[in-house]
Amino acid sequence: MKFIGLFSIILFTGSYLFSQTEDVFTKVEGQYNTMASEFGELPKGEKEYFINAISSHYVYKEESFLIDENSRFESYLNKVFKTIAPNLNHYPKCRLYKSAYPNAFTEFLGEMNFHWGILAELESEASLAFLMGHEYGHYRESHLYKSYSQRDINEDSDREAVIKHYHDEQSQEFESDSIGFLLGQKAGYDWEQGLVDFYEFVSMDTLFSLMESKANIYEADGEISTSTDEDNDDSLFISHPPTLSRIKKWKNWGSKVQQYNVKYIVSKKDFLELQNYSKLRTLSHFLKCQDYKMGLIKAFKYFALSPDNPDFQYYLYEFIRRKLLQNKGLADKKFMSDIFVSGNKIGIFNNLKWVFNQADQVSFVKNNL
């Protein structure tokens, strides 16, 4: 009986996944036909590959449990989206995506996915609204299909073709920026709150990521390189436009419209609870995957912003402890990190003084870790 019961479960699960795959395939094919009628068919032999690839992505995402099925926060996200786009016939779903890294992306059928990592960093509901408008802009303007159909399929493409491709990608980002700005501003949100997120990208978080990913950012003595050698400049091969250029455009748009000074329309309480939830999920992720460096950076930041939050206090202590277990020599390095190693050795506990609001807290941490 146990075998029959198990077999029935497997059979039911397999049938469910098959029907789910068929349903996804049908939806993707229908969306493809709509895109093809407006922007042209894909090159010969590409249609089937494209539809199968997109459908497989959807099935993989569901089977891998990459979506944080949180109906409460999904409901809030969808309410915010309906605030900036009140007259749509069909509303794409907004969902939480299980990732600690600051990103959001729109899928072929319109679903908008917001990483824990980006929800943790947003300044207010207005910031969220402008981000949603940007992501919706990618869907509304069919950017995914356009990029795929217009790409250079010649594997031996020259440098100019590659540059053109990324310039096209950058123009799509500017286009989505403008759509997000118009939707958020028209709904009545403070457009300057949208700027906060752009400034975040030129903050220390971005510097840390750049230092980790680009070995040639350092000079021989460990200082950041200030070289302007155009031969080593890979900015042309970055799909997103330079952040400062986006800030300049945003300010230009803002100078021509009314400023409403409204940060919250749907719910400040729900936003702050979603933000706090996302911060804790982000810190938990970095702890589980043993990325103690990035986790420590985030724990410093979140605790400094909310020093009375016991959860952030716990994560800060725990990341300090684990970093010291990895390398006890870090106690003598700046900012308790292996990123900054030059200059005077201040020591991590001295660095804690700018985080804690009471002097005895530093001694407490030092003595009890």
Side-chain angles (χ1 to χ4, degrees), residues 185-205:
Q185 194 274 336
K186 186 177 180 181
Y189 284 108
D190 180 354
W191 63 263
E192 289 185 335
Q193 286 293 299
L195 275 176
V196 173
D197 300 316
F198 288 123
Y199 286 129
E200 179 68 24
F201 285 113
V202 292
S203 70
M204 288 302 293
D205 285 339

Side-chain angles (χ1 to χ4, degrees), residues 17-18 20-22 24-25 52-65 107:
L17 290 176
F18 177 77
Q20 188 181 41
T21 303
E22 285 290 295
V24 167
F25 183 90
N52 286 335
I54 297 294
S55 300
S56 296
H57 157 76
Y58 276 104
V59 174
Y60 170 78
K61 183 185 70 174
E62 297 299 330
E63 290 180 354
S64 302
F65 302 102
E107 296 178 284

Side-chain angles (χ1 to χ4, degrees), residues 94-357:
C94 300
R95 312 183 80 178
L96 277 68
Y97 195 83
K98 295 179 179 179
S99 173
Y101 297 95
N103 195 21
F105 63 97
T106 304
E107 296 178 284
F108 186 63
L109 296 178
E111 297 91 337
M112 288 180 282
N113 301 277
F114 299 91
H115 291 199
W116 290 327
I118 201 165
L119 293 171
E121 301 298 328
L122 296 175
E123 182 75 10
S124 66
E125 186 179 280
S127 302
L128 172 61
F130 285 115
L131 172 63
M132 280 185 173
H134 174 97
E135 292 304 321
Y136 174 65
H138 283 305
Y139 172 69
R140 197 185 84 174
E141 299 304 313
S142 307
H143 286 163
L144 190 153
Y145 186 82
K146 288 178 180 177
S147 292
Y148 190 86
S149 62
Q150 296 170 6
R151 78 196 192 289
D152 191 332
I153 59 175
N154 181 2
E155 294 182 357
D156 298 321
S157 299
D158 58 18
R159 179 183 176 90
E160 284 69 26
V162 177
I163 293 174
K164 180 181 182 300
H165 167 72
Y166 281 108
H167 280 181
D168 290 340
E169 296 277 309
Q170 290 186 22
S171 68
Q172 290 181 358
E173 292 301 321
F174 277 126
E175 186 173 37
S176 287
D177 280 350
S178 65
I179 292 171
F181 180 91
L182 290 171
L183 291 176
Q185 194 274 336
K186 186 177 180 181
Y189 284 108
D190 180 354
W191 63 263
E192 289 185 335
Q193 286 293 299
L195 275 176
V196 173
D197 300 316
F198 288 123
Y199 286 129
E200 179 68 24
F201 285 113
V202 292
S203 70
M204 288 302 293
D205 285 339
T206 301
L207 289 178
F208 287 133
S209 298
L210 286 172
M211 290 177 187
E212 286 185 317
S213 63
K214 296 186 66 173
N216 62 349
I217 201 169
Y218 298 105
E219 300 286 10
D221 59 358
E223 295 298 317
I224 298 175
S225 172
T226 56
S227 171
T228 57
D229 184 357
E230 293 185 2
D231 291 336
N232 294 324
D233 181 11
D234 63 351
S235 62
L236 291 175
F237 297 91
I238 299 175
S239 61
H240 283 60
T243 302
L244 292 177
S245 297
R246 299 174 76 180
I247 290 173
K248 185 177 180 180
K249 280 186 175 291
W250 198 271
K251 285 185 172 181
N252 184 47
W253 296 330
S255 67
K256 300 175 182 177
V257 298
Q258 181 179 352
Q259 173 61 289
Y260 294 108
N261 298 313
V262 175
K263 295 182 180 180
Y264 299 93
I265 294 177
V266 178
S267 173
K268 180 178 181 178
K269 177 177 180 291
D270 286 342
F271 172 82
L272 293 177
E273 290 182 358
L274 172 60
Q275 182 191 60
N276 187 71
Y277 172 85
S278 299
K279 286 179 177 179
L280 293 177
R281 285 288 181 266
T282 295
L283 293 172
S284 176
H285 172 85
F286 285 129
L287 199 60
K288 288 178 180 178
C289 70
Q290 299 182 12
D291 188 349
Y292 302 143
K293 180 190 297 184
M294 189 56 68
L296 182 57
I297 293 168
K298 294 295 184 181
F300 259 118
K301 178 178 180 179
Y302 299 159
F303 182 85
L305 291 172
S306 304
D308 296 326
N309 188 313
D311 293 319
F312 298 151
Q313 195 174 76
Y314 158 73
Y315 278 109
L316 178 59
Y317 293 174
E318 186 61 18
F319 279 115
I320 292 173
R321 188 180 72 83
R322 297 204 183 195
K323 285 292 285 183
L324 288 175
L325 285 174
Q326 277 188 331
N327 183 355
K328 295 186 183 301
L330 291 179
D332 295 324
K333 292 185 178 181
K334 278 190 176 184
F335 202 64
M336 47 185 310
S337 169
D338 47 1
I339 297 176
F340 297 114
V341 296
S342 59
N344 297 325
K345 293 184 177 181
I346 296 177
I348 60 175
F349 296 109
N350 284 332
N351 280 287
L352 285 173
K353 290 179 180 177
W354 70 268
V355 178
F356 294 114
N357 52 16

Side-chain angles (χ1 to χ4, degrees), residues 22-39:
E22 285 290 295
D23 183 50
V24 167
F25 183 90
T26 301
K27 290 180 180 178
V28 171
E29 185 175 35
Q31 180 73 346
Y32 167 85
N33 291 332
T34 300
M35 298 291 99
S37 64
E38 185 171 357
F39 304 110

